[in-house]
Amino acid sequence: MNVKNSPPVAGVRGTQYKFSHASTMVYFDASFAQLGKLADKKNTIILTDENIFAAHTPKLKSWKTIVLKAGEEYKVQSTVDHIIQQLIRLQADRKTTLVGMGGGVITDITGYVASVYMRGIAFGFVPTSLLAMVDASIGGKNGIDAGVYKNMVGVIRQPHFLLYDIGLLKSLPDAEWQNGFAEIIKHACIKDAAMFALLEKNDLQTFQKNKKGMAALVARNAKIKIKVVQEDEFEKGERKLLNYGHTLGHALENQYQLSHGHAVSIGMGYAAEISRQLMRFTQTERLVKVIHQYGLPAFTKFDTEQVFAVLKMDKKRERKDISYILLEKIGKGIIKSIPLKELENIIGKIKIPLLGTGV
């Protein structure tokens, strides 16, 4: 992993991770109060949503802010247009830094707007959800949805910094913790068998009560994703592994108004069963047990034809085949090209009652 431990910036110790055309400073185990040491308040605008603003108003009162409505349904072009108008009103220029404070929707939109406003301004993230801390804020993918098609429009551009404050997770409802653990389970499945065993020995409540253990788990997951992205920033090969559970998950998410975590966990359940059929994967029941252990669904009933109409527009499709992430074993994911018709037949014949529960 291309890293450099950097001297503290006014008392904030961080690690520099280098990518192909940029580098990102990552401040683990930090505090929101330290943001002012990383970004000049006079030239910084914080982008957040109504829920985060309401929960952290005292922290934000001295910062210039743009507050959005909360929810995936607002991760669209009209929201981007609104933000750009607000940036113009606030006289944001090329020396302005845009900071996304929130979950995955906010980090996606912030990175995208910062990449296109005035052809690119600096940006950083203060992730406030577990999902954003372990996944959405990392790797430089920034984008918006187009109707039911998730992340159809976007860019790859790395943030200048990531500031992690584990204390921000305290206000999260259990549903948002579950969302984040879907991505943690994903990382364990594709890259870290030892972490999967750790997840088996614990549960959501155990980690919620253990701030030190949670901080270590967040950093472990962030480093897994950072390393994968460093090796394949523009998703030509290895980075595709991070899509485990996401191909079917994305096709379900917007159509059925599922949370991202539920969509991904269902996608992982189906991908495990597909792995059993195509790769002789023998650990489906073990994976399903862990998915349920963290309050997530592994399977559900859906209209296969309707879902595949969306899946056929997935960015990973190449003509009549699609790159699908399967498992050889827990801790080792692989990329396999599967004809769409064959995939549709396999998924359509999976018998849910034998393997798991629905949403």
Side-chain angles (χ1 to χ4, degrees):
M1 187 181 292
N2 198 341
V3 300
K4 178 182 179 182
N5 290 318
S6 299
V9 177
V12 190
R13 183 171 294 279
T15 302
Q16 183 186 64
Y17 292 89
K18 294 184 179 180
F19 299 93
S20 57
H21 302 298
S23 62
T24 298
M25 288 298 301
V26 181
Y27 302 93
F28 290 117
D29 201 20
S31 166
F32 178 82
Q34 297 170 313
L35 179 61
K37 297 176 181 179
L38 308 180
D40 177 13
K41 283 189 177 182
K42 291 185 294 185
N43 294 310
T44 298
I45 297 170
I46 293 180
L47 183 63
T48 191
D49 68 36
E50 293 172 335
N51 294 341
I52 300 301
F53 187 81
H56 303 288
T57 302
K59 291 183 174 72
L60 293 167
K61 64 181 180 181
S62 63
W63 293 85
K64 288 184 283 188
T65 59
I66 296 173
V67 181
L68 306 178
K69 292 181 179 179
E72 179 80 26
E73 63 267 35
Y74 298 106
K75 201 177 86 171
V76 291
Q77 185 62 45
S78 58
T79 301
V80 172
D81 295 341
H82 167 74
I83 295 166
I84 289 172
Q85 290 302 316
Q86 293 295 306
L87 290 174
I88 293 170
R89 183 181 65 80
L90 292 168
Q91 299 183 357
D93 58 24
R94 288 179 175 173
K95 292 185 178 180
T96 297
T97 297
L98 191 62
V99 175
M101 181 180 179
V105 171
I106 288 295
T107 58
D108 274 2
I109 294 176
T110 300
Y112 180 61
V113 170
S115 297
V116 299
Y117 183 73
M118 291 191 171
R119 297 193 177 93
I121 60 174
F123 67 99
F125 297 141
V126 181
T128 61
S129 72
L130 183 57
L131 174 63
M133 287 185 180
V134 301
D135 181 61
S137 66
I138 304 163
K141 282 188 177 181
N142 313 284
I144 56 174
D145 302 340
V148 298
Y149 304 103
K150 276 186 63 68
N151 304 318
M152 185 59 74
V153 180
V155 299
I156 294 179
R157 186 165 174 253
Q158 301 300 334
H160 286 58
F161 66 85
L162 288 167
L163 188 151
Y164 284 84
D165 182 347
I166 296 297
L168 295 173
L169 297 178
K170 288 189 296 184
S171 63
L172 288 184
D174 280 353
E176 287 302 323
W177 283 86
Q178 292 163 356
N179 268 338
F181 268 98
E183 295 290 351
I184 291 171
I185 294 168
K186 177 199 78 176
H187 287 150
C189 284
I190 62 170
K191 283 289 182 180
D192 195 334
M195 185 166 70
F196 192 90
L198 177 67
L199 294 173
E200 286 181 305
K201 293 175 184 176
N202 293 279
D203 57 25
L204 187 64
Q205 290 70 35
T206 304
F207 281 112
Q208 285 175 320
K209 295 173 185 175
N210 184 353
K211 184 178 178 181
K212 185 176 180 180
M214 195 64 233
L217 187 65
V218 165
R220 183 171 183 167
N221 278 270
K223 290 172 183 177
I224 287 173
K225 182 165 184 181
I226 288 169
K227 184 178 180 181
V228 170
V229 173
Q230 285 181 318
E231 292 173 357
D232 178 25
E233 188 171 358
F234 298 99
E235 202 168 309
K236 303 298 183 184
E238 182 80 355
R239 186 169 182 172
K240 292 180 181 180
L241 292 175
L242 296 172
N243 290 314
Y244 179 62
H246 285 63
T247 305
L248 178 61
H250 279 171
L252 291 169
E253 186 172 345
N254 284 356
Q255 283 197 75
Y256 290 91
Q257 288 79 54
L258 297 176
S259 70
H260 182 71
H262 279 203
V264 168
S265 66
I266 291 167
M268 287 193 289
Y270 278 92
E273 176 59 11
I274 296 165
S275 299
R276 184 187 69 79
Q277 295 190 38
L278 300 183
M279 304 300 303
R280 297 182 180 178
F281 177 67
T282 62
Q283 298 168 299
T284 298
E285 290 185 5
R286 187 180 170 199
L287 172 56
V288 169
K289 183 179 178 182
V290 167
I291 288 172
H292 290 166
Q293 197 168 311
Y294 286 85
L296 293 158
F299 296 92
T300 192
K301 294 181 180 180
F302 56 85
D303 184 325
T304 306
E305 185 176 339
Q306 183 178 326
V307 166
F308 267 77
V310 174
L311 196 146
K312 287 172 184 175
M313 287 304 297
D314 190 283
K315 299 182 292 299
K316 296 174 286 298
R317 178 181 64 84
E318 295 178 0
R319 298 182 184 270
K320 294 182 180 181
D321 295 349
I322 191 165
S323 291
Y324 217 87
I325 309 308
L326 302 178
L327 299 177
E328 282 192 359
K329 59 183 179 180
I330 296 294
K332 186 175 182 181
I334 64 155
I335 305 162
K336 185 172 179 62
S337 182
I338 306 174
L340 277 164
K341 196 63 184 175
E342 179 183 354
L343 182 64
E344 188 172 358
N345 288 336
I346 293 172
I347 288 177
K349 292 177 182 177
I350 291 175
K351 298 186 185 302
I352 297 169
L354 298 179
L355 292 166
T357 60
V359 178

